[in-house]
Amino acid sequence: MTSLFAGFFLSAIFSTMPSQTGDWEIVIGSIIVTLNEIASNYIYSYKKKHSNFSILYLLNFLRIGIIYGLFVDAFKLGS
């Protein structure tokens, strides 16, 4: 559960730091999505092969926290 909150905190950092200049939003967004998809592919392919995946379980919660935090920031900006 701590990984979920850490991911939420990291998403706040990811969404505010690069967008200070205003010209890096699309690049950083595409990098975050690409890293998210690579991590998702690795986590779920490893999960099918092995039954012991406690570190990947924490990484998955971190990934979900980042996605959730980015959605919350998007809704704040849209309103």
Side-chain angles (χ1 to χ4, degrees):
M1 211 49 179
T2 307
S3 299
L4 187 70
F5 295 129
F8 188 77
F9 178 71
L10 282 174
S11 72
I13 292 172
F14 289 154
S15 66
T16 56
M17 294 277 291
S19 64
Q20 293 294 324
T21 59
D23 52 344
W24 285 98
E25 288 138 355
I26 295 173
V27 175
I28 296 299
S30 63
I31 290 171
I32 291 171
V33 168
T34 303
L35 291 177
N36 182 26
E37 290 298 322
I38 290 171
S40 178
N41 187 14
Y42 182 72
I43 288 169
Y44 290 117
S45 67
Y46 187 83
K47 190 176 179 181
K48 289 179 184 177
K49 294 177 187 174
H50 306 286
S51 62
N52 187 10
F53 57 94
S54 61
I55 302 236
L56 290 178
Y57 191 69
L58 294 175
L59 181 65
N60 195 26
F61 269 123
L62 184 74
R63 184 182 63 84
I64 291 170
I66 289 172
I67 293 170
Y68 176 70
L70 290 175
F71 272 109
V72 169
D73 282 343
F75 284 128
K76 285 190 291 189
L77 291 174
S79 63

